[in-house]
Amino acid sequence: MPQGLLQGMKGAIALSTLALTVGFAGPLAAEESGSNFLGLDLNGSLGEGRHSRYVPPLTNPIFNETPYITTEARGFYFYHDIPDDFVTGGGHVNLAALQFRLAITERLGFIATKDGYADLNFDEVLPDEDGFANIALGFKYAVISDPENEGILTAGLRYEIPIADLETGGIELQGNGDGFLNPFITGARAFGDLGLQASLGANFALDPDEDTSIVHYSLHADYELLPGFFPIVELNGFTAFNNADRLTGALGDLDGVDVLNFGSDDRGTTVTIGGGARYRLNDHLQFGSGAEIPLTDRDDTIFGYRLYFDVVASF
């Protein structure tokens, strides 16, 4: 097993332990408060008389937002392989993060979905780097909520705050401008044991000369094969619609996909496919694991493959 993957899995175990603690504490807190705290409706979309089926996406955790309004903590880790034919001759990235979601009402929720710590290891050319990822937070609102037919459509807006804490070889790895605005829509519909979800959004760079703006889109399907066990298939895409001019020349078509943004002047499109499974232990705790690979040309991307591990603790 690669040493970087082993180290990252240790971080994932630590995140899982924290989320497990929160998850088992959550039901008690909800029972004591009647699912309300300081006037907040912590149940959000879920609960008696509301939606009963909740299987959040697994891959593309930065942009593929669940349409359900929830109160939860989601700890996730991914091991990201850098292809050998990339300029660095390969390498890998470990990212561990903890997302938070808070239901304010049945339809309105607060989300903090990008943060965490990244450890980047390159085989050659560039020095290794580690540091904190940018922070993204915002709100989402369920425009349509139809529990009887298990359908929901939600719109949201996030702001990504630039931390400027990841740099190697003079290259800012996650953006060097004023941050990003990310409007999005996301929806889900269940048909018996089959669940379908889709999301679409645009990540607008507030300084278009420094950072590249992209459109992101995702499809998700899950099926309850056994009680509480859901195999998952997901498709994700990232397409630049306004390139920056911070990274030019031989590296000008470099694609950072989701966590990283190089400000490339000729970034194209990356499409990935992922699969895995979720296991729902109870109404408050579920685990997920899976893998993701690119379908598009790997020459201009740092995306070789990813391995995912997460735990979702709902209140």
Side-chain angles (χ1 to χ4, degrees):
M1 179 180 293
Q3 183 65 26
L5 177 56
L6 180 61
Q7 294 173 352
M9 288 183 68
K10 292 180 180 178
I13 292 171
L15 281 174
S16 298
T17 302
L18 174 61
L20 277 168
T21 303
V22 174
F24 283 116
L28 179 60
E31 291 171 3
E32 292 176 348
S33 64
S35 80
N36 289 283
F37 177 70
L38 298 179
L40 305 178
D41 187 344
L42 299 181
N43 282 338
S45 300
L46 310 176
E48 185 176 352
R50 304 181 186 183
H51 295 272
S52 60
R53 195 180 193 282
Y54 176 50
V55 184
L58 178 62
T59 63
N60 188 18
I62 306 300
F63 290 127
N64 192 11
E65 177 66 18
T66 174
Y68 296 96
I69 308 302
T70 61
T71 299
E72 67 181 34
R74 178 189 182 190
F76 74 87
Y77 159 78
F78 67 64
Y79 175 86
H80 178 110
D81 175 75
I82 299 174
D84 292 341
D85 53 3
F86 182 58
V87 65
T88 62
H92 63 270
V93 179
N94 293 297
L95 178 73
L98 187 59
Q99 298 179 332
F100 293 97
R101 295 174 177 86
L102 176 65
I104 299 173
T105 70
E106 183 177 346
R107 289 178 178 256
L108 178 64
F110 169 80
I111 55 176
T113 54
K114 183 176 181 180
D115 57 23
Y117 197 83
D119 175 34
L120 297 92
N121 298 269
F122 304 103
D123 288 350
E124 54 187 54
V125 181
L126 295 175
D128 296 343
E129 170 70 335
D130 61 88
F132 289 99
N134 286 348
I135 296 173
L137 44 83
F139 293 89
K140 61 181 182 180
Y141 182 80
V143 181
I144 298 174
S145 183
D146 184 7
E148 183 177 349
N149 295 303
E150 288 293 345
I152 187 170
L153 179 66
T154 296
L157 178 66
R158 284 175 284 219
Y159 171 58
E160 181 174 329
I161 306 168
I163 300 299
D165 197 33
L166 289 172
E167 179 181 350
T168 181
I171 301 173
E172 292 283 351
L173 298 177
Q174 60 174 347
N176 194 39
D178 299 323
F180 302 84
L181 281 180
N182 177 219
F184 62 88
I185 55 172
T186 174
R189 180 71 187 270
F191 302 88
D193 291 331
L194 175 66
L196 301 177
Q197 297 183 39
S199 68
L200 172 66
N203 207 37
F204 290 94
L206 296 182
D207 187 343
D209 293 330
E210 291 289 333
D211 298 318
T212 298
S213 299
I214 67 167
V215 173
H216 57 84
Y217 35 97
S218 297
L219 298 174
H220 160 107
D222 63 72
Y223 188 83
E224 189 168 13
L225 186 63
L226 298 170
F229 180 71
F230 301 83
I232 292 172
V233 176
E234 295 177 341
L235 184 74
N236 303 300
F238 312 87
T239 298
F241 65 87
N242 187 32
N243 286 293
D245 55 14
R246 180 160 51 86
L247 195 61
T248 61
L251 297 179
D253 51 7
L254 189 59
D255 184 355
V257 190
D258 50 359
V259 177
L260 306 180
N261 191 301
F262 299 101
S264 309
D265 69 347
D266 193 26
R267 173 175 170 175
T269 293
T270 294
V271 177
T272 69
I273 187 168
R278 285 201 176 280
Y279 175 66
R280 187 168 60 201
L281 182 64
N282 53 46
D283 289 342
H284 303 279
L285 193 65
Q286 54 182 292
F287 302 89
S289 65
E292 185 180 17
I293 59 173
L295 296 176
T296 45
D297 194 342
R298 302 187 186 199
D299 290 345
D300 302 328
T301 180
I302 63 168
F303 205 122
Y305 66 84
R306 277 184 184 173
L307 302 177
Y308 289 92
F309 306 91
D310 79 1
V311 57
V312 181
S314 302
F315 292 78

